[in-house]
Amino acid sequence: MTALNAVTDYTLDGEVGVITLNSPPVNALSRPVLEGISLGVAAGLADDGAKAIVLICEGRTFIAGADIGGLGSRREERPIDPMGDLERSTKPVVAAIHGTALGGGLEAALCCNYRVAVPSARCGLPEVNLGLLPGAGGTQRLPRLVGPQKALEMMTSGAHIPAPQCHEMGVIDALVEEGKLREGAIAFARKVLAENRPLRKVRDINEKVEAARGHPEIFAAFRKANARKFRGFLAPEYNIRCIEAAVNEPFDQGIQTEQRLFRELLSGEQSAAQRYAFFAERQANKIPDVPDDTPLIPVNTVGIIGAGTMGGGIAMNFANAGIPVVIVEVKQDALDRGLSVIRKNYERTASRGGITAADVEKRMGLITGSLDMNALATVDMVIEAVFERMDIKKDIFTKLDAICKPGAILATNTSALNIDEIASVTSRPEAVIGLHFFSPANVMKLLEVVRADHTSKSVIATSMKLAKKIGKIAALVGVCPGFVGNRILGQRQREAQKLMFEGAMPWDIDRVLYDFGFPMGPFAMSDLAGLDIGWVKEKSNGETIRDALCELDRRGQKTGAGYYDYDENRVAHPSPVTEKIIQDFVAKSGVNARTITDAEILERCLYPMVNEGAKILEEGMAIRASDVDVIWENGYGWPVYRGGPMWWGDQVGLDKVLAGMKKMHAEMGDLYKPAALLEKMVAEGKNFTR
Ligand code: 3HC
């Protein structure tokens, strides 16, 4: 074996030269890895004994893409062309894939003549999720292999496609036995030699792209079908344009188009925000005082208290991950209802092809119901998901303390209540933690893990690991009203309401926030949820706009009217009735309604959020600014291409945010007091996120 550089070995196995890359954790295309590929190809070509070459990786995965941290940084280095070296090789090159071949990793594999993979491997071009497009020839090579339609789907979704499916699509030439990748790849290379197969290059395979030439409707239909999903994002459109180039331009010209569009995205604000989000999510798992080697508590069974929407959704997460769950309810009919909703959810997913009918049964088989809390005596973790009332929660935790085995984690899904107070009724507050799921809990990615005063490090470490296992993105927060997400949301909601009393209409406020990139504005959201949540007809006395609307039976989408009027297709229209109600309220309050600009609406809604984020950091309720952003992007619809409130505040300029807060403070009082941390950051010329 010859070491070619710190991350690359070359060895001859029979008549096959094997290049092995070893650059943990994911063999990303750092400069040494790129150099290693070029050195490896050169070694294979120079080795008279080698008639073919295999490119393989050590560790958990094949190359998982370019080194994201290094993207965009200018380097004065000797230019190298490892992709070209692979493609120009005069001896056949076989990529041997395990783990994931993603982004630049798959692009490298596409420069090889052949690709083999173990069945558990996955391939994808996920650059779109970083606000980018594949910039190493992938946009021109993939459509040549799989055709434009599949390339559109793969590149704009960034999906990691299982190897068997890649095999069907033609991305992978052969599947080899799990655990025997090296042998399988070498055997495949020998077969290529024995059969004297040509040095097939993906760049020369033109049938599928030529067939799509002169059919712009393929792209028009794709754009139309996905317009809602792509709204606000630049990268999907740029990926589409590259595939159009693959169809309409010769290969080399297509590569130039790809390069031009790649550079444009890479230097833009969206990709910077999305790359930040990638690392922010991973950073959120790192807890300074909870080291990596903190002992974990094995969680093999979970109990859930409450079979309502939340409890059912939470249960599904565990069943999806293969962890048995017992759901405890008080009444049989509530339990039956809860279980049947879960089944319906699974069946709906199956009817759309997301899972198989067998998966439905398997997952339902992992979920059992009980009316007896003693069923929780043996579980490793309990998550309470009942009504938000302190007395009920205290009662439950008192019982859990008596029933659950020593060492079990006792979690509450509260979104508002003081977890220290809940923990105080147990003899083991170190076992108590908050796991704040978001509705619908089987869909929403975010998990706020709430650390109470006495929560043990093991319980925290286990909860963070478990979150990843069930497909959640977790952030650790402290106990404070609303925790991090809802506390910041409170600022925006308050401002939206106040702006109405100053002359802005709900649809103006919603439009500004929607155009900013939120999926919907606060008033459209209220209409969707129902204005009557928490509203009691008998107690209503027309004191608020909501009271007035509900009294007119304008209780939201379900009644055909709320803040908005809804037509038969549930399309919202500004409502003259609501407008009149608001105008009357404003007139009664003696305020002179004024014209409020879109810019002011945005600042009034968002600056206080940044300010609250600063207060949260100041109080230590979030570990770092990027955790706040992770929460807002994954739980509250903050557009990822705008990075989250703290990142956004930095981009706007913290001095500008502070000046805005000072103005609001002077005009409207202490609710708007600038956070001391914000003042400090500005005084020191610092940013939250960089
Ligand atoms: N560059 C730099 N670091 C990377 C990386 C990459 N491409 N991919 C993963 N890492 C790092 C992570 O930051 C993390 O570091 P940490 O331990 O210090 O936090 C570590 O590798 C492990 O990553 P995960 O925690 O995400 O591990 P998982 O096992 O859960 O997932 C993975 C592995 C599926 C490979 C996932 O990391 C992933 O999706 N990575 C990104 C893949 C990607 O987007 N590739 C395209 C890059 S852009 C590109 O290639 C441009 C080209 O077209 C020119």
Side-chain angles (χ1 to χ4, degrees):
M1 191 185 346
T2 315
L4 299 178
N5 68 8
V7 299
T8 320
D9 289 332
Y10 174 80
T11 177
L12 187 65
D13 193 319
E15 70 272 50
V16 181
V18 181
I19 308 167
T20 307
L21 301 170
N22 188 3
S23 179
V26 295
N27 291 305
L29 291 170
S30 59
R31 177 79 185 186
V33 172
L34 290 164
E35 279 172 352
I37 294 173
S38 287
L39 291 169
V41 175
L45 293 178
D47 184 349
D48 288 339
K51 301 286 177 270
I53 298 170
V54 163
L55 175 67
I56 194 167
C57 292
E58 283 286 343
R60 65 208 254 201
T61 178
F62 190 74
I63 304 162
D67 181 2
I68 301 169
L71 282 174
S73 54
R74 284 179 166 275
R75 274 174 252 134
E76 300 301 327
E77 283 167 335
R78 181 179 58 85
I80 50 171
D81 181 17
M83 304 290 169
D85 292 335
L86 285 169
E87 195 169 57
R88 282 187 298 270
S89 167
T90 48
K91 298 177 183 177
V93 185
V94 178
I97 299 171
H98 75 295
T100 45
L102 299 175
L106 180 58
E107 292 176 289
L110 291 175
C111 290
C112 300
N113 302 102
Y114 299 98
R115 287 152 295 283
V116 301
V118 287
S120 62
R122 288 171 176 260
C123 300
L125 292 176
E127 284 86 344
V128 70
N129 297 325
L130 301 167
L132 291 172
L133 53 86
T139 68
Q140 302 306 295
R141 291 192 179 88
L142 186 71
R144 283 177 159 75
L145 270 191
V146 303
Q149 185 64 39
K150 288 211 173 77
L152 283 167
E153 284 158 20
M154 242 177 113
M155 282 164 49
T156 59
S157 71
H160 301 182
I161 316 263
Q165 212 177 317
C166 291
H167 185 218
E168 277 168 32
M169 283 163 46
V171 175
I172 298 294
D173 297 291
L175 294 171
V176 302
E177 196 181 326
E178 203 69 54
K180 297 209 168 140
L181 179 60
R182 188 185 155 103
E183 299 91 309
I186 291 172
F188 185 89
R190 290 205 174 107
K191 197 163 153 222
V192 167
L193 292 173
E195 293 172 3
N196 210 7
R197 289 204 206 169
L199 277 180
R200 189 186 68 147
K201 291 186 182 144
V202 176
R203 61 178 283 149
D204 298 330
I205 304 172
N206 286 320
E207 296 80 24
K208 288 185 175 150
V209 285
E210 274 167 8
R213 204 164 292 159
H215 292 287
E217 67 277 8
I218 299 174
F219 299 97
F222 189 77
R223 283 189 173 98
K224 193 165 170 222
N226 291 286
R228 232 176 100 181
K229 200 162 111 202
F230 298 160
R231 183 179 71 93
F233 287 92
L234 279 181
E237 171 58 25
Y238 277 47
N239 274 273
I240 297 172
R241 282 189 210 162
C242 284
I243 302 171
E244 280 176 322
V247 166
N248 297 319
E249 296 170 7
F251 183 84
D252 288 328
Q253 197 183 326
I255 290 284
Q256 280 176 24
T257 302
E258 174 191 282
Q259 283 303 300
R260 180 171 51 78
L261 295 179
F262 179 78
R263 280 195 299 269
E264 219 179 286
L265 286 178
L266 185 61
S267 58
E269 284 178 6
Q270 290 204 355
S271 176
Q274 288 178 258
R275 280 178 279 142
Y276 158 77
F278 175 85
F279 288 113
E281 270 176 30
R282 282 148 185 90
Q283 186 75 11
N285 284 315
K286 301 183 172 76
I287 319 294
D289 68 331
V290 180
D292 277 351
D293 58 359
T294 304
L296 296 177
I297 300 161
V299 177
N300 298 315
T301 49
V302 171
I304 305 228
I305 307 182
T309 318
M310 213 51 190
I314 297 172
M316 289 173 77
N317 289 304
F318 290 98
N320 296 349
I323 300 173
V325 192
V326 52
I327 305 182
V328 174
E329 250 300 347
V330 192
K331 294 213 172 98
Q332 187 68 46
D333 58 340
L335 184 58
D336 292 345
R337 215 173 24 247
L339 290 172
S340 87
V341 169
I342 295 176
R343 174 172 281 283
K344 273 200 200 100
N345 281 338
Y346 278 139
E347 283 172 350
R348 195 173 324 120
T349 311
S351 71
R352 293 178 185 154
I355 54 175
T356 64
D359 289 334
V360 175
E361 296 314 318
K362 190 168 157 214
R363 292 177 199 197
M364 284 310 294
L366 288 170
I367 302 176
T368 49
S370 174
L371 297 177
D372 182 1
M373 273 187 71
N374 288 307
L376 303 173
T378 55
V379 299
D380 301 314
M381 171 188 255
V382 179
I383 303 173
E384 161 279 311
V386 303
F387 201 64
E388 288 280 41
R389 254 178 49 192
M390 185 54 93
D391 55 340
I392 301 180
K393 306 243 178 199
K394 279 185 169 170
D395 180 48
I396 287 175
F397 274 75
T398 306
K399 288 184 181 138
L400 286 177
D401 193 29
I403 292 169
C404 293
K405 68 180 184 187
I409 298 175
L410 308 183
T412 169
N413 177 50
T414 183
S415 61
L417 300 177
N418 185 327
I419 299 175
D420 288 311
E421 198 179 332
I422 296 174
S424 72
V425 300
T426 71
S427 62
R428 40 175 147 172
E430 70 285 356
V432 178
I433 194 163
L435 294 180
H436 180 203
F437 288 83
F438 290 72
S439 189
N442 51 319
V443 177
M444 294 294 289
K445 281 274 177 203
L446 178 65
L447 183 65
E448 265 186 335
V449 178
V450 193
R451 174 184 203 161
D453 278 351
H454 301 286
T455 312
S456 79
K457 293 182 181 179
S458 279
V459 168
I460 293 170
T462 304
S463 300
M464 298 300 285
K465 277 268 161 20
L466 196 61
K468 186 161 181 180
K469 188 164 182 190
I470 62 171
K472 299 292 175 202
I473 294 168
L476 188 69
V477 302
V479 176
C480 59
F483 309 132
V484 169
N486 282 344
R487 182 169 159 183
I488 292 179
L489 177 67
Q491 298 290 313
R492 195 188 77 180
Q493 300 301 81
R494 185 197 64 220
E495 286 316 296
Q497 287 292 327
K498 287 188 72 171
L499 282 162
M500 237 180 356
F501 282 87
E502 294 171 34
M505 286 295 137
W507 31 94
D508 296 328
I509 301 163
D510 277 356
R511 176 180 41 77
V512 169
L513 292 171
Y514 178 80
D515 288 349
F516 180 79
F518 284 105
M520 61 174 73
F523 298 99
M525 183 55 120
S526 295
D527 275 1
L528 181 67
L531 289 185
D532 54 353
I533 295 178
W535 177 76
V536 183
K537 192 173 182 179
E538 294 67 33
K539 290 190 186 159
S540 181
N541 50 12
E543 251 177 19
T544 64
I545 292 173
R546 178 176 84 152
D547 281 351
L549 291 168
C550 286
E551 284 168 20
L552 291 174
D553 208 29
R554 299 179 66 94
R555 289 184 285 127
Q557 278 199 23
K558 60 187 171 189
T559 55
Y563 283 104
Y564 293 85
D565 291 337
Y566 292 88
D567 63 23
E568 58 284 4
N569 300 317
R570 285 211 170 192
V571 175
H573 301 279
S575 163
V577 178
T578 305
E579 188 162 348
K580 174 84 175 56
I581 291 175
I582 295 172
Q583 282 164 350
D584 289 349
F585 265 85
V586 174
K588 238 194 297 172
S589 70
V591 172
N592 279 336
R594 62 195 174 91
T595 306
I596 303 177
T597 64
D598 288 359
E600 185 182 346
I601 291 176
L602 197 67
E603 288 176 13
R604 279 281 298 278
C605 287
L606 302 195
Y607 283 6
M609 295 171 74
V610 180
N611 194 48
E612 196 65 25
K615 288 184 184 169
I616 283 168
L617 290 170
E618 208 174 283
E619 294 166 23
M621 293 298 147
I623 296 169
R624 45 183 92 78
S626 60
D627 289 4
V628 174
D629 289 338
V630 166
I631 289 171
W632 262 78
E633 283 174 353
N634 293 291
Y636 296 85
W638 187 287
V640 61
Y641 56 81
R642 291 193 200 273
M646 309 316 280
W647 169 270
W648 179 79
D650 284 347
Q651 307 310 305
V652 169
L654 292 186
D655 51 346
K656 220 174 142 200
V657 176
L658 178 60
M661 290 311 301
K662 280 186 171 162
K663 185 165 176 281
M664 293 181 217
H665 187 205
E667 289 169 1
M668 295 180 288
D670 270 353
L671 275 178
Y672 301 86
K673 193 168 184 313
L677 182 62
L678 180 61
E679 303 243 29
K680 186 166 175 277
M681 295 292 232
V682 173
E684 292 174 0
K686 288 190 180 150
N687 278 329
F688 285 120
T689 57
R690 279 187 295 182

